Amino acid sequence: MNRIRLLSEQVANQIAAGEVVERPASVVKELVENSLDARATRITVEIQSGGRSLIRVTDDGIGMSRDDALLCLERHATSKIQTAADLSSIATMGFRGEALPSIASVSRATLTTRERDSDNPEGSRIIVNGGKIVEVKAAGATPGTSIEIRQLFFNVPARRKFLRSEETERAHIQHYLTLVALAHPEIAFTVLQDDRITSQLPAIEVQHSRKDQITALRERFQAVYGTDLPMVAVDFSTMIEEVPSEDVAVRSAAEQMRVWGLIGAPGVSRGTREDQHVFVNRRPVENRGINFALSEGYHNALMKGRFPVCCLFLEINPASVDVNIHPSKREVKFHHEMAIRRIVAQAVRDALAKFHSAQLEAARPSAPVAVPIPTITSPADQQKKTVAPPLLHPPHPEPIRNWPSAEIPRAAIDPTPPTQTIFQNVVPLPLPGSVTSPQSTPADIGKPIPLLHVPLRLLGVVGKLYVVLESDRGLVLMDQHAAHERVLFEQLLTRLEQGTVPSQRLLLPETVELASRDAQFLKQQLTPLLRLGVGLSEFGERTFLLDALPPFVKSVDPRGYVLQLIDDLKATGQEVNSWRLGEEMIAKKVCRHAVKANDALSMPELEKLIADLRHCTMPYTCPHGRPTIIEMNYRELERRFGRVQ
């Protein structure tokens, strides 16, 4: 008796459906991807009961003839690939030819289609019940394709009972549609839930220029989220270097890469990675390496436990990415994982740096302009001659002053500072909800003014920590410790760029024995660690001698310290770990040496601190990601005091 038998086509399709169709959102994803590959310009998605009872996707794509419509319901029938070689360079969303037959095998499906370029005004309609074709007939239809899926998993009750509530399934569908709408702003999307239009996004005309692409993405992003979050444009192109492949054709094809899109401005973050949308060749993907690269690019601009917001696109040769490692194509694998990670981190860092420098150039005043700030005066004072308070207008950004010690130098000036001092600081720091200053010039009307672009009047210090300032639009608070941390951090980074961090010899060198994998990894990092002041040398096959540490590192457990170094190096990536680890060490140092709470600073010292903060590359946060300066505008104050609703 033979024990091995061929499965029936229906059972095989249901097994494939178990891999491809996890829930209603999976059906929507496969059908919408087919519409995208059909070059649709309008896509309508209708669902009922969270997709349990109805899913209908209609497009105006190229459509199909009757023969093609019948063939597309067969397993492994596709127009996307022809040979095995095509699998190494996939440029379409779908390619396996499993989606439609798998979906039809677990539902009651109706396919209506008509070719866009055909002279025949007649379309075709095919009705499928549980994978079996029950009717094929002519039908009136507009050019394009409409696929209707009813009673999903009606013949697989075990799968149907594992579906979540209607609200949960609806949320998964909406999440996918959000991603695809962001990836294709040139396509109009309409979404109906239970016969009610819940989303209608018009198509945005997109030109081929990079600027137009980012502008269209920004417009679609605002339309999808319904809010004007401050986002920074990213547009970074480079050549992928050190490609390990011996195949010259693959190596040359994989070199060019572009990273573009939008990332949250400093201060915009979330408690999870849910708002990190990453696309590879317009395909929404999940990749831990890219998530780490995002955090790497933001690492000293975000607080611990916070994650960046982004809508980031990676354009890379299809031969350099494998989209076929997951049945539902959610995950991808790069041939040059570390190089991609390094490039993404560099793209984010460059975008944030350009954001600040560009805003600084735009905000630099051409001539001092006195901005009156209302003050409370007595009748006697009103009779006195009014003298405009002095304005400080640094003509050009200057390098950060290198303080010889960890303390702020006490200025040798009059110990009794003036009671009113206005600083014309022009550091570009737009915050969520920033408002247009009433003192703007006509050319700036309607544009939000960065927080430190407006004149500030120093009022005092609260709790010997929070510096209180007033602007023409509200209240401003600065954390003197966080601000000084940022200033010292960038000073020491400059020194790190110029040379090597000093090291301090240990009284008794320590031997550290590691596992084989950790030892092999550490051998490749000895030179950059020495540059950072960590004296490690080989002392055997798996043993190292630790004889020096940076003077600001205090460790009673040398082996534990080395193991932590290895973990940090692995987490940051081989290409960026030296610089990244050096920044971490410096951040820990400046935290201990920056001015603290209860460190009383005179007005001139506070003035110098603000001026130095103004010249920082990233003045908005301290090296640990905490804000250095915040604003509460008059509208917020009035709301808190109940003057407005």
Side-chain angles (χ1 to χ4, degrees):
M1 178 180 177
N2 293 335
R3 297 178 180 273
I4 299 177
R5 298 181 297 274
L6 289 173
L7 294 174
S8 67
E9 184 178 356
Q10 183 180 8
V11 175
N13 283 339
Q14 289 187 359
I15 292 174
E19 298 177 349
V20 177
V21 185
E22 300 177 8
R23 59 195 334 147
S26 305
V27 176
V28 174
K29 175 181 181 294
E30 297 293 345
L31 299 184
V32 170
E33 285 183 351
N34 282 342
S35 296
L36 296 174
D37 288 337
R39 301 193 294 275
T41 61
R42 294 191 309 274
I43 299 176
T44 301
V45 179
E46 303 172 62
I47 64 171
Q48 291 181 5
S49 302
R52 293 167 179 260
S53 61
L54 172 67
I55 297 172
R56 184 187 294 119
V57 176
T58 306
D59 65 59
D60 64 345
I62 59 176
M64 292 180 285
S65 66
R66 176 171 294 188
D67 291 341
D68 283 348
L70 287 169
L71 193 58
C72 77
L73 294 170
E74 300 291 334
R75 289 196 70 194
H76 309 307
T78 179
S79 62
K80 318 289 176 65
I81 61 174
Q82 294 182 357
T83 66
D86 295 336
L87 291 173
S88 63
S89 183
I90 296 171
T92 58
M93 295 296 173
F95 52 88
R96 293 197 184 107
E98 290 184 339
L100 283 179
S102 298
I103 294 169
S105 70
V106 292
S107 66
R108 305 184 193 277
T110 301
L111 186 155
T112 305
T113 185
R114 175 186 161 195
E115 285 187 287
R116 179 195 293 169
D117 300 327
S118 174
D119 295 332
N120 186 0
E122 187 179 81
S124 302
R125 179 168 295 157
I126 302 174
I127 300 176
V128 186
N129 191 348
K132 296 181 179 180
I133 297 177
V134 298
E135 187 176 4
V136 179
K137 61 182 180 180
T142 58
T145 302
S146 175
I147 301 181
E148 180 182 285
I149 305 298
R150 292 187 179 272
Q151 295 179 298
L152 184 64
F153 296 133
F154 81 98
N155 56 348
V156 191
R159 294 295 304 275
R160 188 175 180 86
K161 73 177 183 180
F162 279 99
L163 294 179
R164 302 301 181 185
S165 66
E166 292 183 10
E167 291 76 14
T168 300
E169 300 299 342
R170 190 181 297 116
H172 283 283
I173 293 173
Q174 187 61 48
H175 175 68
Y176 168 74
L177 293 177
T178 297
L179 295 178
V180 75
L182 290 172
H184 300 275
E186 72 281 1
I187 297 178
F189 287 91
T190 302
V191 181
L192 293 88
Q193 296 182 2
D194 299 322
D195 299 324
R196 181 173 58 90
I197 295 179
T198 59
S199 177
Q200 197 164 19
L201 300 172
I204 301 172
E205 184 177 356
V206 182
Q207 304 297 332
H208 294 293
S209 70
R210 294 183 171 187
K211 183 178 179 180
D212 288 337
Q213 286 181 322
I214 295 177
T215 300
L217 173 62
R218 191 185 297 274
E219 184 177 342
R220 175 57 62 88
F221 187 90
Q222 294 176 359
V224 167
Y225 282 95
T227 182
D228 190 9
L229 284 175
M231 303 293 286
V232 177
V234 178
D235 195 351
F236 184 86
S237 297
T238 188
M239 305 295 286
I240 301 177
E241 300 175 353
E242 301 177 356
V243 179
S245 174
E246 297 297 329
D247 189 333
V248 176
V250 172
R251 182 167 65 249
S252 60
E255 288 180 348
Q256 183 66 33
M257 177 180 173
R258 180 189 174 203
V259 181
W260 67 280
L262 299 173
I263 59 176
V268 178
S269 64
R270 296 290 184 269
T272 66
R273 289 193 173 97
E274 290 184 357
D275 288 328
Q276 291 184 1
H277 306 320
V278 178
F279 305 84
V280 176
N281 296 337
R282 299 299 179 102
R283 181 191 300 275
V285 300
E286 297 175 6
N287 183 273
R288 292 186 62 189
I290 295 179
N291 290 335
F292 283 125
L294 281 168
S295 298
E296 181 67 30
Y298 272 94
H299 73 275
N300 66 356
L302 284 177
M303 288 188 290
K304 187 176 181 180
R306 305 295 295 181
F307 299 95
V309 174
C310 76
C311 185
L312 210 58
F313 293 81
L314 278 65
E315 291 183 1
I316 187 173
N317 190 289
S320 296
V321 57
D322 187 356
V323 300
N324 200 23
I325 64 172
H326 193 279
S328 61
K329 305 184 288 291
R330 283 200 305 263
E331 300 176 9
V332 297
K333 183 177 181 180
F334 298 104
H335 294 324
H336 320 297
E337 187 82 30
M338 294 308 299
I340 300 297
R341 179 171 167 175
R342 174 179 56 81
I343 291 170
V344 172
Q346 185 62 42
V348 173
R349 279 195 296 266
D350 284 5
L352 293 175
K354 290 178 181 177
F355 167 72
H356 287 293
S357 61
Q359 293 287 340
L360 181 59
E361 290 295 328
R364 183 182 296 140
S366 57
V369 179
V371 178
I373 296 180
T375 57
I376 300 175
T377 58
S378 64
D381 293 333
Q382 293 178 358
Q383 298 177 359
K384 298 179 180 179
K385 183 178 180 181
T386 303
V387 179
L391 286 169
L392 297 183
H393 283 277
H396 298 286
E398 300 175 355
I400 299 175
R401 302 177 181 86
N402 289 322
W403 288 328
S405 65
E407 297 181 356
I408 292 182
R410 305 296 179 179
I413 59 177
D414 186 355
T416 307
T419 56
Q420 291 188 358
T421 305
I422 295 181
F423 303 103
Q424 182 69 16
N425 300 290
V426 293
V427 181
L429 300 175
L431 292 181
S434 60
V435 298
T436 301
S437 170
Q439 306 297 337
S440 302
T441 61
D444 294 330
I445 289 176
K447 295 182 179 180
I449 296 182
L451 176 58
L452 292 183
H453 182 197
V454 298
L456 299 174
R457 182 160 63 100
L458 185 59
L459 301 180
V461 181
V462 176
K464 296 184 179 179
L465 175 61
Y466 301 108
V467 182
V468 183
L469 305 108
E470 181 187 14
S471 73
D472 62 342
R473 64 191 194 192
L475 178 69
V476 178
L477 296 174
M478 183 182 74
D479 184 329
Q480 67 179 28
H481 173 68
H484 194 201
E485 275 189 317
R486 167 53 63 180
V487 172
L488 288 179
F489 179 76
E490 297 203 5
Q491 288 179 5
L492 291 175
L493 277 186
T494 302
R495 296 179 188 176
L496 179 61
E497 291 177 345
Q498 296 172 350
T500 302
V501 175
S503 61
Q504 182 176 350
R505 291 284 179 178
L506 299 181
L507 184 61
L508 296 175
E510 297 277 352
T511 57
V512 180
E513 187 172 355
L514 302 173
S516 298
R517 181 179 297 180
D518 288 341
Q520 186 64 29
F521 176 80
L522 189 58
K523 288 178 182 178
Q524 302 172 4
Q525 312 299 326
L526 295 180
T527 300
L529 286 176
L530 182 62
R531 181 171 175 263
L532 297 174
V534 180
L536 271 171
S537 57
E538 295 185 55
F539 200 64
E541 185 65 26
R542 296 187 293 110
T543 305
F544 296 83
L545 185 68
L546 178 65
D547 59 4
L549 287 173
F552 47 85
V553 172
K554 307 297 180 184
S555 176
V556 296
D557 181 13
R559 184 178 186 277
Y561 177 73
V562 173
L563 290 176
Q564 185 62 47
L565 280 181
I566 294 174
D567 291 340
D568 292 342
L569 289 167
K570 287 182 176 179
T572 57
Q574 188 169 355
E575 281 81 1
V576 297
N577 51 32
S578 172
W579 182 251
R580 174 72 169 85
L581 191 61
E583 289 182 336
E584 281 192 358
M585 291 180 174
I586 291 173
K588 292 177 182 178
K589 176 179 180 179
V590 300
C591 186
R592 289 194 293 267
H593 292 284
V595 294
K596 305 291 193 302
N598 299 320
D599 288 350
L601 301 180
S602 67
M603 292 292 185
E605 290 170 331
L606 291 173
E607 175 184 334
K608 182 179 186 301
L609 178 58
I610 296 175
D612 284 338
L613 183 65
R614 169 188 179 273
H615 297 296
C616 289
T617 304
M618 297 282 288
Y620 182 68
T621 62
C622 77
H624 310 290
R626 293 189 300 106
T628 58
I629 190 165
I630 61 175
E631 178 186 37
M632 184 179 294
N633 58 37
Y634 284 123
R635 182 172 181 81
E636 176 67 14
L637 290 172
E638 290 170 350
R639 187 188 66 81
R640 289 182 174 248
F641 280 104
R643 292 180 175 271
V644 296
Q645 296 298 324

